[in-house]
Amino acid sequence: MKTKYLPYLLILPAGAYLLFFIGYPLVQAIYLAFTQNGHFTLANFHRAFSNSMFFQALKFTLALAIVIIPIQVVLALVLALIMMNTFKGKDWVLYALIIPLTISDVAGGLIWYTMLSDAGFLNKLLLNLGLISQPIHFFGYQYRTMEFLAIVLEEIWRSTAIVFVIILAGLQMISREYIEAAEVFGAGYWTRLRKIVIPMLKPSIQSALIIRTLFAMQIFGAVWMLAGRDIPVLAGEGYYQLTFIKDYSVASIYALAIAMLSIVLGALYVKFLKAPYLEVGE
Amino acid sequence: MKKVSAALLIGVMVLSIFVAGCIGGGTTTSSSSTSQTSSQTTSSKTASITWVSTQLAPPEERAFVLNTLLPPFEKDTGIKVNYVPLSYTDLSTRLAGEEQSGKVTIDLIGDLHGGMDYYASKGWLMDLNSMPKLTGRTFIPAFMKYATINGKLVYIPWMSATYVMVVNKEAFKYLPQGLTENDVIQGTDKWTYDALLAWAKNLKEKTGKPLLGFPAGPNGLFVRFLHGYLYPSFTGYEAKEFNSPQAIQMWDYLKNLWQYVNPASTTWDSMSDPLLTGQVWIAWDHTARIKNAIETKPDQFVVVPVPRGPKGRGFIVVLAGLAIPKNAPNPEAAWKLIDYLTKPSTQVEVLKNVGFFPTVTEASSAVPNGPLKILAEGVNKQESTKDALVVMIPNLGSKGGEFKDVYKEAFRRIVLQGEDPQKVLSELGPKLAQLFKDAGIPEP
């Protein structure tokens, strides 16, 4: 066998997987979005966009991502920097930080719902401590800002870990030599962080951002649990159209909207977060 | 290098076998299921019947059917039952195909009244008047009336369900003036929607908390309260008077009431937990979804009829029936299963396990004392109020979701977002009318 076929053979399993599980459904979704009874039509788009929930969902999906992701990146970076030091019980802290990663979004949503509800743990604690006389209401249409806050809290708790793991791995790959060289030239901690660590972390931050943003576009379970449709999101409305309304075409449009957003945002990250040192052939 | 490519080749082969297995697997299962059904037709002489049902389809209920409900019947009669839970759409498609081709494989159908009504209109159901009489039971007359279409008994009432109100006994301490505990429990003329408003207001003012609650979450059934309770009570109809002065009055009422409703209602799918945690004292929900609260604290709660409105006491009865399709392979065996399923003892068993209410009066009195009795009594009182305005969920098939969405949207826009009711109803009214027009059924 010639070696020139080898690369193709190597990507064949992955290619086949993508073709069956991503490619086929994608084609199917495009077909559903653009046809009605087998004929080409744009009526489905009209139906999707004329419903005010579509733009609400788009707005809230983006708003959640804009609020959550920067907090997560900063928090993950701080945690990762702390974990670069050696201290007693470090392993335990590491495990504790990663545990939420194993929890599904629905379960995470339920946990936080139970904690934050009027009869929940948080309110009971604050009431018993005498800090509040009335429970803090987190849920219900009238308290949408609080529901938004609850979702942000849950997502930060549950999915910061993935950003943290990627950034920690990135940090560990940075050679000590650079840091030591900087120290020799008298660079303080902040200078080292700004001039060496963060620039060298860019590829890791980029991967973490891409992964987190893609997940953020698909946010659904936690929102459904914590706010229902008070706070509509794209994936949630797609699910609603599919299972409640049985409008497969509009549901496909929601799915395609998520896909488009993910592609565009992914491309933006790749374009604007180039890692300079990789290009000079280091 | 050779080794690597050999390994890769093996990998590719394994993958292709796996993929082929996936694709081929699908066909084998479907072919085996067809052979199963065809074997059923041929083996109908050896007493095996196919029971297709849209009810008792969720996994837990299915497990109850297979593990508890059917084994005694199969043991006693020697008839093997092939239980096939299907969605309404799948069942109607399958039945249409079988009836048109004349190759009927279904012996027994379990479906809601709406579905049966449709099958009967197509002439697919047997007239059950010709079957031997079922002894030792009295079917609730109202249900028999529904089951008789154009003089033909098209199905046998099987199970029923409804939505009721649950009251935490604590709330009775805060009754508004002019309303007594007895009024509420018996569902007298004084138990009106205005009285509910006064009660909820009183509760909020005296306790500082909004203690009325509804399951208005994404998977909650609040929409049934809108089209099956408030609308008939205020306008006399579920959909016909969707956009009418009475409807505006109804929406204004709901807006007013909502001030005293626990805001978290929009995130609740079932009222069991909010009742148990004391977040609400008065709740409305499907009987199956409050069962847990009553079973956990039977002394704390009473199940009461819903209030009445200007046009009567509107409420939904969900009625499921059992029917035999025309040209069914084994109608006698199917009749035996109907006989078994409508026996008072079987009906109590169904109530105990899956929370559906009996359709025979003997079963209602056979319910043992305890939480279920509380439920059954409440349901019974609601059904026997003299101003009862019973409505059924309209059968719009796959358009059922859109029907519900109209009411949900009206609620969101009018009550939650404060839009002008007239504007919203004028906008949504034609949409609702179109749904019924497309389905070819009159607006209920």
Side-chain angles (χ1 to χ4, degrees):
Chain A
M1 186 166 288
K2 292 219 174 99
T3 29
K4 68 172 179 180
Y5 298 120
L6 192 62
Y8 300 103
L9 270 175
L10 281 167
I11 59 162
L12 189 68
Y17 174 86
L18 286 174
L19 202 65
F20 277 112
F21 295 106
I22 311 277
Y24 175 68
L26 187 67
V27 171
Q28 191 74 20
I30 293 172
Y31 175 81
L32 280 170
F34 283 99
T35 58
Q36 205 164 39
N37 304 325
H39 298 289
F40 175 82
T41 175
L42 289 175
N44 301 326
F45 284 88
H46 177 76
R47 207 160 61 245
F49 298 152
S50 64
N51 190 332
S52 66
M53 291 300 260
F54 183 88
F55 293 101
Q56 289 262 327
L58 185 66
K59 184 183 94 182
F60 278 113
T61 308
L62 291 173
L64 281 168
I66 290 168
V67 174
I68 294 167
I69 297 172
I71 299 177
Q72 286 189 322
V73 171
V74 173
L75 193 65
L77 185 63
V78 171
L79 288 171
L81 287 169
I82 294 171
M83 293 308 288
M84 286 302 282
N85 302 313
T86 36
F87 55 89
K88 213 176 156 208
K90 183 181 158 186
D91 287 352
W92 290 107
V93 176
L94 192 62
Y95 290 137
L97 283 173
I98 294 175
I99 283 173
L101 194 60
T102 61
I103 293 171
S104 81
D105 51 352
V106 172
L110 267 177
I111 292 171
W112 280 84
Y113 190 90
T114 338
M115 277 209 299
L116 299 177
S117 78
D118 283 7
F121 165 77
L122 182 77
N123 274 316
K124 280 217 175 114
L125 184 77
L126 294 177
L127 282 170
N128 288 341
L129 289 175
L131 294 174
I132 48 170
S133 58
Q134 284 290 322
I136 305 170
H137 304 296
F138 272 93
F139 303 111
Y141 192 91
Q142 280 106 308
Y143 305 107
R144 283 213 288 180
T145 326
M146 295 303 271
E147 286 184 333
F148 192 90
L149 182 67
I151 298 167
V152 170
L153 282 173
E154 188 277 346
E155 279 299 287
I156 288 174
W157 171 78
R158 190 183 62 87
S159 66
T160 302
I162 181 99
V163 185
F164 164 75
V165 169
I166 296 170
I167 290 182
L168 186 66
L171 273 179
Q172 285 169 342
M173 299 230 299
I174 297 174
S175 164
R176 286 294 306 165
E177 286 170 30
Y178 294 108
I179 313 275
E180 277 157 17
E183 273 169 344
V184 169
F185 287 107
Y189 182 79
W190 290 107
T191 316
R192 292 202 306 270
L193 191 65
R194 257 177 350 113
K195 301 280 182 186
I196 297 174
V197 177
I198 296 196
M200 296 200 77
L201 260 185
K202 265 193 176 177
S204 303
I205 294 178
Q206 188 191 43
S207 332
L209 274 176
I210 290 177
I211 289 178
R212 259 312 293 153
T213 309
L214 298 195
F215 282 144
M217 293 303 110
Q218 301 165 10
I219 188 168
F220 167 45
V223 178
W224 196 257
M225 284 294 140
L226 291 166
R229 289 178 75 220
D230 294 350
I231 293 185
V233 287
L234 287 173
E237 288 308 296
Y239 170 77
Y240 179 77
Q241 290 291 335
L242 182 76
T243 55
F244 288 74
I245 308 286
K246 307 244 184 312
D247 191 333
Y248 299 112
S249 301
V250 171
S252 298
I253 291 169
Y254 275 99
L256 288 175
I258 296 170
M260 284 306 296
L261 265 180
S262 307
I263 291 168
V264 169
L265 292 174
L268 285 176
Y269 281 137
V270 173
K271 192 167 159 53
F272 289 108
L273 275 175
K274 275 192 182 145
Y277 81 102
L278 281 178
E279 279 159 29
V280 290
E282 279 282 332
Chain B
M1 207 21 89
K2 264 193 172 166
K3 259 187 191 168
V4 177
S5 25
L8 268 171
L9 254 181
I10 294 169
V12 170
M13 279 164 72
V14 170
L15 183 83
S16 56
I17 292 166
F18 169 71
V19 171
C22 285
I23 302 165
T27 36
T28 20
T29 25
S30 63
S31 70
S32 76
S33 71
T34 38
S35 68
Q36 218 174 32
T37 38
S38 61
S39 76
Q40 239 105 53
T41 19
T42 48
S43 67
S44 59
K45 284 164 230 106
T46 58
S48 149
I49 55 172
T50 301
W51 175 23
V52 182
S53 172
T54 61
Q55 301 304 298
L56 306 183
E60 285 169 33
E61 297 179 1
R62 193 183 302 195
F64 161 70
V65 172
L66 296 177
N67 302 332
T68 318
L69 189 64
L70 291 178
F73 171 76
E74 290 181 333
K75 212 174 132 221
D76 286 354
T77 58
I79 299 168
K80 171 96 188 61
V81 182
N82 175 28
Y83 177 66
V84 187
L86 278 187
S87 71
Y88 167 73
T89 328
D90 290 344
L91 171 57
S92 57
T93 319
R94 179 166 165 182
L95 192 62
E98 293 191 358
E99 289 292 338
Q100 276 152 23
S101 68
K103 281 183 205 143
V104 182
T105 62
I106 304 170
D107 295 282
L108 185 63
I109 298 169
D111 199 357
L112 295 178
H113 168 81
M116 296 297 192
D117 197 16
Y118 172 72
Y119 309 142
S121 74
K122 292 280 175 187
W124 293 338
L125 302 181
M126 227 177 111
D127 183 359
L128 300 175
N129 279 320
S130 60
M131 298 306 268
K133 214 175 141 38
L134 297 168
T135 51
R137 72 209 74 176
T138 324
F139 288 96
I140 293 172
F143 293 166
M144 283 308 265
K145 220 173 71 195
Y146 279 112
T148 312
I149 298 171
N150 295 330
K152 286 183 188 147
L153 181 61
V154 294
Y155 65 87
I156 299 292
W158 169 33
M159 310 187 294
S160 73
T162 187
Y163 311 74
V164 286
M165 282 208 146
V166 184
V167 177
N168 186 322
K169 286 178 184 162
E170 203 63 22
F172 286 126
K173 292 182 190 154
Y174 300 89
L175 280 167
Q177 267 204 333
L179 187 72
T180 64
E181 194 175 324
N182 187 54
D183 286 332
V184 178
I185 291 175
Q186 299 299 334
T188 66
D189 284 351
K190 285 188 188 149
W191 179 219
T192 61
Y193 277 107
D194 285 331
L196 174 69
L197 175 72
W199 196 5
K201 187 168 179 240
N202 211 20
L203 278 169
K204 192 176 176 186
E205 281 165 0
K206 300 266 166 69
T207 68
K209 286 184 276 187
L211 289 167
L212 174 63
F214 293 98
N219 298 319
L221 299 170
F222 181 60
V223 65
R224 300 285 178 220
F225 184 69
L226 297 175
H227 80 77
Y229 287 73
L230 282 181
Y231 256 103
S233 301
F234 278 79
T235 72
Y237 300 95
E238 281 179 277
K240 214 182 204 164
E241 299 287 329
F242 181 77
N243 179 13
S244 64
Q246 290 91 334
I248 305 273
Q249 193 197 334
M250 183 279 270
W251 285 109
D252 284 337
Y253 166 81
L254 187 59
K255 254 165 105 172
N256 202 356
L257 182 72
W258 208 257
Q259 304 170 63
Y260 312 110
V261 170
N262 192 316
S265 286
T266 57
T267 60
W268 288 332
D269 291 338
S270 127
M271 295 313 293
S272 224
D273 282 347
L275 279 168
L276 283 171
T277 53
Q279 290 179 80
V280 296
W281 284 357
I282 308 173
W284 170 97
D285 207 342
H286 190 279
T287 43
R289 298 192 176 194
I290 40 137
K291 199 170 143 234
N292 182 39
I294 293 157
E295 277 174 345
T296 315
K297 289 183 181 171
D299 302 328
Q300 193 67 60
F301 304 109
V302 238
V303 175
V304 303
V306 287
R308 58 164 288 147
K311 295 281 153 91
R313 200 179 307 272
F315 60 87
I316 293 176
V317 168
V318 181
L319 179 60
L322 296 161
I324 302 177
K326 266 188 193 150
N327 304 322
N330 201 341
E332 288 78 26
W335 188 251
K336 274 188 192 148
L337 185 54
I338 291 180
D339 178 38
Y340 169 74
L341 289 172
T342 54
K343 272 198 176 91
S345 55
T346 318
Q347 297 241 313
V348 173
E349 206 56 32
V350 169
L351 172 61
K352 271 194 210 157
N353 286 280
V354 287
F356 277 101
F357 287 88
T359 51
V360 298
T361 47
E362 287 81 0
S364 306
S365 49
V367 178
N369 270 329
L372 278 176
K373 191 100 185 170
I374 300 172
L375 256 178
E377 271 174 4
V379 170
N380 215 350
K381 290 216 173 87
Q382 177 162 297
E383 273 161 16
S384 48
T385 46
K386 59 180 192 307
D387 48 4
L389 198 69
V390 179
V391 300
M392 295 242 171
I393 296 170
N395 177 38
L396 292 165
S398 60
K399 297 279 180 191
E402 282 181 52
F403 167 77
K404 288 192 269 183
D405 196 55
V406 169
Y407 292 87
K408 282 187 205 169
E409 189 176 337
F411 170 72
R412 194 182 68 240
R413 288 172 60 183
I414 297 171
V415 178
L416 298 179
Q417 292 170 356
E419 278 188 52
D420 175 38
Q422 186 58 69
K423 182 177 159 266
V424 176
L425 297 184
S426 311
E427 220 174 282
L428 294 175
K431 213 171 146 185
L432 185 68
Q434 190 61 40
L435 284 174
F436 285 97
K437 222 173 133 194
D438 289 348
I441 51 175
E443 285 181 61

